[in-house]
Amino acid sequence: MRSMMHRVEVLKTVAHPVRIRILEELLKGVKCVSDFEDFLEISQPNVSQHLALLRRQGLIDHYMDGRLRCYFLKDPIIPDLLEILKKDYIEELPAPACCPVTKKGTYPGTRQR
Amino acid sequence: MRSMMHRVEVLKTVAHPVRIRILEELLKGVKCVSDFEDFLEISQPNVSQHLALLRRQGLIDHYMDGRLRCYFLKDPIIPDLLEILKKDYIEELPAPACCPVTKKGTYPGTRQR
DNA sequence: TGCAAGTATAATAATATTTGCATATATCAT
DNA sequence: ATGATATATGCAAATATTATTATACTTGCA
């Protein structure tokens, strides 16, 4: 099992709009840096910086193809993570009927807020 | 579907060791602030701040029970998210066999790095 | 009414993240 | 070797996050 620190790092690394879009593209297949430049509206150095971060965290990897660097997904959590981020949840979780843990409270009463 | 901004916010909000532990506890059932103080080794104001952030993002909610505030999970993405964070992935994703997207490269050759 | 328990909020200081820019490196074609 | 293409790296400025401290709010009870 991933350590708590590792879990936090994975989430923090994915938690950026550019990096989510990069990962979503990689889910479709291999891409090189200039591919990303085409649809992300940021500079090439910035693309490289995001890719470097994703690579340092072990989420992606690459191989060289001539002067291109071909990036691909590596960590298997990514497809699962992207899937639930896209999933449509219709209902909120059901509110609890009572307060089983409370030590001194008087619930159930009328729920407020 | 959640907007990109919303997805990023959810991930950023969960991406903290204290907040992950809070959410994992809430998965088991309702808890009040002093419950969290008992097993998280941080100050009460700090617990409240993390709870306030989770609440602002709509991930949790609470009701009042006397002077206690009973917190519970609200956003249905949370159980799914916590589950895949705990999941054990044994293998890395398979490296791509070729480089279908590359425009000018000469791959396949010997993969490097 | 007054006090204590439970919890929230605000201000601050320390730290981390993000971006833009300049520059560096590597490979290929000539 | 030279120049062009593809990509990476280093650094500083702007911004965001975090824990801490002090203080305020709310409820129940004497």
Side-chain angles (χ1 to χ4, degrees):
Chain A
M1 185 153 74
R2 260 174 240 265
S3 70
M4 175 61 85
M5 209 186 81
H6 191 182
R7 283 185 256 174
V8 169
E9 289 309 309
V10 169
L11 292 176
K12 287 214 291 199
T13 306
V14 178
H16 188 289
V18 166
R19 294 194 292 265
I20 290 181
R21 294 192 63 196
I22 287 176
L23 293 172
E24 281 176 346
E25 277 303 304
L26 290 181
L27 200 57
K28 301 182 196 159
V30 176
K31 293 273 184 308
C32 65
V33 177
S34 48
D35 291 327
F36 294 120
E37 273 185 84
D38 291 345
F39 72 92
L40 299 171
E41 288 165 0
I42 60 177
S43 67
Q44 175 274 314
N46 202 358
V47 174
S48 276
Q49 281 168 341
H50 286 295
L51 289 170
L53 178 56
L54 290 165
R55 189 157 37 82
R56 275 201 302 281
Q57 301 295 338
L59 301 186
I60 65 176
D61 200 358
H62 72 275
Y63 53 80
M64 309 288 300
D65 181 8
R67 40 190 150 178
L68 304 178
R69 288 190 182 211
C70 301
Y71 283 90
F72 55 90
L73 288 185
K74 180 173 164 192
D75 191 319
I77 201 176
I78 298 302
D80 287 358
L81 205 45
L82 295 177
E83 188 188 332
I84 73 162
L85 286 177
K86 276 198 185 157
K87 192 165 152 190
D88 257 323
Y89 296 88
I90 310 148
E91 305 263 337
E92 290 181 358
L93 291 173
C98 65
C99 192
V101 176
T102 294
K103 294 152 291 194
K104 319 164 195 84
T106 55
Y107 195 83
T110 9
R111 181 163 307 148
Q112 291 145 61
R113 278 196 75 177
Chain B
M1 185 153 72
R2 259 174 241 265
S3 72
M4 176 61 85
M5 209 187 80
H6 191 181
R7 283 185 257 174
V8 169
E9 289 308 311
V10 169
L11 291 177
K12 287 214 290 198
T13 306
V14 178
H16 188 288
V18 165
R19 294 194 292 267
I20 290 182
R21 295 191 62 196
I22 287 176
L23 293 172
E24 281 175 345
E25 278 301 304
L26 290 180
L27 200 57
K28 302 182 196 160
V30 177
K31 293 272 184 309
C32 64
V33 178
S34 47
D35 291 327
F36 294 119
E37 272 185 85
D38 291 344
F39 74 90
L40 299 169
E41 288 166 359
I42 60 175
S43 67
Q44 174 273 313
N46 201 1
V47 173
S48 275
Q49 285 189 69
H50 286 296
L51 289 170
L53 178 56
L54 291 165
R55 188 158 37 84
R56 277 201 301 281
Q57 300 297 337
L59 301 186
I60 66 175
D61 199 359
H62 73 274
Y63 53 81
M64 309 288 299
D65 180 9
R67 40 190 148 179
L68 303 178
R69 289 191 181 211
C70 300
Y71 283 90
F72 54 91
L73 288 185
K74 180 173 164 191
D75 190 320
I77 201 177
I78 298 301
D80 287 357
L81 203 45
L82 294 177
E83 189 187 331
I84 73 163
L85 286 178
K86 276 199 185 160
K87 192 165 152 189
D88 258 322
Y89 296 89
I90 310 148
E91 306 262 339
E92 289 180 358
L93 291 172
C98 65
C99 192
V101 175
T102 296
K103 294 152 292 195
K104 320 165 195 83
T106 55
Y107 194 84
T110 10
R111 182 163 306 148
Q112 290 145 64
R113 278 197 76 177

